[in-house]
């Protein structure tokens, strides 16, 4: 799995900056693992995979938060 930092988050979608390649990947709330209300905050550290995206070609999927307050 890849690791990165949530760089932006608003209204259920945002972007994760990858730790290794510095690419930014689109993320939608529906791709966050877990049950109930799903939300991320800027600075959260996450693990994720890259999969096909509707509008962006690829996006972050199977996103799991592993920490916060990175910055």
């Amino acid at each position: 799995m890849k690791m990165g930092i949530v760089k932006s988050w608003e209204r259920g979608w945002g972007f994760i900056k990858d730790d290794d390649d510095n690419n930014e990947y689109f993320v939608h709330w529906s791709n966050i693992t877990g049950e109930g209300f799903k939300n991320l905050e800027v600075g959260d550290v996450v693990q994720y995979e890259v999969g096909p995206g509707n509008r962006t070609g690829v996006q972050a999927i199977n996103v799991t938060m592993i920490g916060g307050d990175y910055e």
Side-chain angles (χ1 to χ4, degrees):
M1 291 192 95
K2 295 172 99 30
M3 287 187 61
I5 303 156
V6 177
K7 296 308 278 185
S8 65
W9 185 261
E10 185 174 331
R11 298 183 197 157
W13 63 273
F15 289 90
I16 297 170
K17 184 172 183 180
D18 187 77
D19 282 349
D20 291 329
D21 63 20
N22 285 324
N23 286 331
E24 290 192 6
Y25 296 99
F26 175 81
V27 59
H28 187 264
W29 71 267
S30 62
N31 288 316
I32 301 171
T33 60
E35 299 204 15
F37 183 73
K38 300 174 184 178
N39 191 43
L40 296 172
E41 294 185 19
V42 172
D44 284 348
V45 179
V46 294
Q47 279 188 318
Y48 63 98
E49 296 176 74
V50 176
N54 291 339
R55 297 182 187 171
T56 59
V58 296
Q59 66 182 350
I61 60 171
N62 299 324
V63 178
T64 304
M65 190 173 84
I66 58 173
D69 299 321
Y70 183 84
E71 297 182 309

